[in-house]
Amino acid sequence: MSLFRLLLLRSINRDPPKPAASLLLTHFFHNVALNPTSENPIQGPPTPPPPPPQRSYAFTSAEEAAAERRRRKRRLRIEPPIHALRASAPSAPLTRDPNAPRLPDSTSALVGHRLNLHNRVQSLIRASDLDAASLLARSSVFSSTRPTVFTCNAIIAAMYRNKRFNEAIALFHFFFKQSDLVPNVVSYNNLINTHCDRGEVDIAIQVYHEILEKAPFNPSPVTYRHLTKGLIDAGRIGEAVDLLREMLNKGHGADSLVFNNLISGFLNLGNLDKANELFDELKERCLVYDGVVNATFMEWWFNQGKDKEAMESYKSLLDRKFKMPPPTCNTLLEVLLKHGKTKEAWTLFEDMLDNHTPPNTQAVNSDTFNIMVNECFKLGNIEEAIKTFKKVGTKPGSKPFAMDVAGYNNIITRFCEHGMLSEAEKFFQELCGKSLSPDVPMYRTMIDAYLKAERVDDALRSFTKMVETGLRVVASFGTRVFSEFLKNGKNLEAATLLTKMGEKEPKPDASIYDVVVRGLCNADELDKSLDVLDQMMKYSIGVTPALQDFVRGAFGKVGRTEELDRVLNENRWRFPGRQPRPFGQSPRSPSGHAEMGGWQSSGSPQMAGGQQFSGPSQVPGQQSLSWRST
């Protein structure tokens, strides 16, 4: 080994490397690079930064505290805490107790297709076509878009308002007993009210106990209103008092209308002391009570011939200076006008106008104006009625009432009843100029008035506008109007108008098509009648056997039977591989046939008794199809 190598090995063994020192040096340069202000042993310690100001946890003002909260929230948005950035483990879905009662739909269920269905049902109800509304709501139960409880309640309440009690009860059982929909308290209230009006108070009480035992909610004050009224009408006022005590013991507030039912019942029995006792209890429990109770006392005193006592009750109410809602004041107006207190009624009306300062205070509504306008028409003061309709308050700060469609509908109806079509047209144009949309009753009023005055062209113009707007034409109204058009030679216009109606949903009723086809055939307009028949087959309206016999006779006289048979051939509108499913039929089973009681699985749907449809099945929302014997 050479001398150089020997010296090199000895130097290595004598001075080994110091890794600790090397590591410390590495950390030093790293800290200097990341934090230049740190202490540098080479340059000496830097000037220390001033200490941060000490902030106390108390603030000198609310504004300073709010500013600090905003600063913290802003900092959290910019620099969220570390735990907020970590992906949390997915939480296991909450398991619902299978024994817990199902809850009814909330308003959040009214979206999408279910909201569209609800709006369609409501439009049919507003058009007074309750049969079509009921058919649409019932048929939707068997579809993928099931109705909400609000849609069911709407058609049940409409049936009740039109005194169709049996159908209201049947719909309740269909929706909530057979179709597995969950009712809410409004559903039960509609059923209770229907049974009470039918005099079936015991059944209504059973429904009330069903709410207490099975429903996941409590009865509402409206429930007790219906029950107490039904018991009093049945002469069971003692049970009504017990129900009032039960309502109060369950923690419900002192509902003035429930007390009013009992007060009215005792007054009708001549028990003034008990009525006053209940009134005093109401005033103790509810300092701001409804003035309807005073109206009940006024009505009773007036009927007893004691006008002085009635007006004293009215004055005691005014002295309290309550801000009464419009329905309460409207009740007082009706009582005053009914018993000849015209001056006091007009004074109250003017006070209501002065107190109308929306959006803070709504002191009047369209019913208020309707009451006073109708009183003017009753007395023959037409000019005064027009002034009343446009009257506003004189008190500083009061605002004019924005009249709605119901108010215009009322005064237009009064004008039409008095044969004042020019004034009715003026107010109709005023309504349209205010961006309000006329409803079905208003169009019906104008069309009937035009037909009564033999102004067929104006009636046709209004009816066309009604159809173009998309409003529903009820079968009874449509058949009557089309008959008048055909009687006055408006054949082409009637056929064109019916074609427009058929292009929209829901389709016109089969009876309207029947009237138009017969009218066109009688007028020798066979080509137009053939077009209408073709529409009936295209839209699956269905042709009744009577109409078939009629048109075959009309076309047979001119030798056009083959042309008619080609139009009435239902196979033209059948698509291969897709057979229409009739209303109420369940979805197809794996075998390809519908299996439901009452329907056979043959090529065409049949009903019991050997009857079958004469055309393709009808979509939900249309009228029922005609039948033919096999």
Side-chain angles (χ1 to χ4, degrees), residues 311 314 318 329 332-338 340-354 364 368-379 381-394:
M311 296 310 297
Y314 175 66
L318 296 183
C329 294
L332 295 171
L333 285 175
E334 291 176 343
V335 173
L336 292 172
L337 292 174
K338 178 181 177 180
K341 302 298 179 180
T342 308
K343 181 180 178 180
E344 291 79 1
W346 282 104
T347 303
L348 177 60
F349 176 63
E350 292 170 357
D351 291 340
M352 294 170 66
L353 293 176
D354 292 339
V364 295
T368 309
F369 285 87
N370 294 345
I371 292 171
M372 305 309 294
V373 166
N374 292 344
E375 180 66 17
C376 294
F377 274 100
K378 179 181 177 182
L379 300 176
N381 299 329
I382 309 300
E383 294 296 331
E384 186 66 23
I386 298 176
K387 294 179 181 178
T388 302
F389 185 79
K390 300 181 178 181
K391 201 167 187 177
V392 297
T394 58

Side-chain angles (χ1 to χ4, degrees), residues 372-446:
M372 305 309 294
V373 166
N374 292 344
E375 180 66 17
C376 294
F377 274 100
K378 179 181 177 182
L379 300 176
N381 299 329
I382 309 300
E383 294 296 331
E384 186 66 23
I386 298 176
K387 294 179 181 178
T388 302
F389 185 79
K390 300 181 178 181
K391 201 167 187 177
V392 297
T394 58
K395 184 179 178 180
S398 63
K399 298 180 181 180
F401 174 71
M403 188 60 66
D404 55 10
V405 177
Y408 276 99
N409 196 4
N410 177 75
I411 194 170
I412 288 174
T413 303
R414 302 287 88 78
F415 281 130
C416 292
E417 291 175 352
H418 288 74
M420 304 174 63
L421 275 179
S422 58
E423 292 292 339
E425 290 174 331
K426 184 186 301 182
F427 277 83
F428 186 86
Q429 295 299 327
E430 180 180 330
L431 163 70
C432 298
K434 290 188 175 182
S435 300
L436 295 175
S437 300
D439 55 2
V440 173
M442 185 174 296
Y443 275 113
R444 293 180 62 174
T445 300
M446 294 297 297

Side-chain angles (χ1 to χ4, degrees), residues 159-177:
M159 290 294 183
Y160 166 78
R161 290 192 299 269
N162 286 268
K163 308 298 181 183
R164 299 170 64 171
F165 299 141
N166 293 335
E167 295 173 65
I169 296 173
L171 284 172
F172 180 91
H173 286 276
F174 173 77
F175 288 127
F176 305 121
K177 301 296 184 181

